[in-house]
Amino acid sequence: QKVGTLYASAVQGQFNTYLGAIHTAGWNLIYQRGIGTSETDFMADALKMKAAGVKLFYSIGNGAANTAAMLRDFGSINFHPVTFATAAYFNNMGQLAASYANGLMVVLPYVLYNGEDASSVPAVRLLDKWARQTDASYTTGSVDLVYGWAAGELFVDALKQAGRNPT
């Protein structure tokens, strides 16, 4: 399988982990480039990957806006590799990428389903409740909020496990 990737330069360590997995799976990484957070034009990358015959594309650590821009550039030249992404879970991904987001697979350690599962998942319901109480403009899908909430839960659990005298 010919693989291409664009990864956020800030997550070089995460990329190295995926690189090992790609090689272990027997895939052939034929295109890779670290990108800056302010980049918005991925047409040159799209053209190079299409010409090289990339069949699977992995967007690593690029967020929803950059991943959507990549998908739009890919679609505009009729380049449609199987696409996986990390850090691209936002409630506006479909809006950002339009129909080019169809088939996008997002690899995440958490799932919020844009809040629609709050009625059946108590942890999501609680997160949504407190987020709305502190910020009236809150919408579901904030990765930073999820990470902060999880860190807070881990801290509280550690305090409980430490007992009466946590120091």
Side-chain angles (χ1 to χ4, degrees), residues 1-2 13 23-24 27-28 39 43 54 73 76 82 90 93 98 100 104 108 120 126 132 150 155 162:
Q1 182 81 302
K2 293 182 177 180
H23 291 302
T24 300
W27 295 349
N28 182 15
E39 287 189 55
M43 185 58 72
V54 166
D73 285 350
S76 71
V82 173
F90 284 87
M93 180 50 128
Y100 300 125
L104 171 66
L108 299 172
S120 60
L126 184 61
R132 285 190 181 97
F155 181 69

Side-chain angles (χ1 to χ4, degrees), residues 59-85:
S59 170
I60 302 172
N62 292 313
N66 277 357
T67 299
M70 292 169 195
L71 294 173
R72 288 191 309 269
D73 285 350
F74 292 0
S76 71
I77 61 166
N78 201 27
F79 174 51
H80 303 286
V82 173
T83 300
F84 291 89

Side-chain angles (χ1 to χ4, degrees), residues 89-92 111-117 124 128 132 140-141:
Y89 180 81
F90 284 87
N91 61 344
N92 62 345
V111 182
L112 297 176
Y113 299 112
N114 288 331
E116 65 195 37
D117 58 346
V124 174
D128 285 349
R132 285 190 181 97
T140 59

Side-chain angles (χ1 to χ4, degrees), residues 14-90:
Q14 182 183 11
F15 171 71
N16 291 340
T17 300
Y18 284 108
L19 186 60
I22 287 168
H23 291 302
T24 300
W27 295 349
N28 182 15
L29 183 63
I30 60 173
Y31 187 87
Q32 68 182 35
R33 186 171 75 82
I35 66 165
T37 55
S38 62
E39 287 189 55
T40 58
D41 182 356
F42 305 101
M43 185 58 72
D45 301 294
L47 291 166
K48 289 174 186 174
M49 284 188 276
K50 183 177 181 179
V54 166
K55 300 293 181 204
L56 188 147
F57 172 72
Y58 219 134
S59 170
I60 302 172
N62 292 313
N66 277 357
T67 299
M70 292 169 195
L71 294 173
R72 288 191 309 269
D73 285 350
F74 292 0
S76 71
I77 61 166
N78 201 27
F79 174 51
H80 303 286
V82 173
T83 300
F84 291 89
T86 66
Y89 180 81
F90 284 87

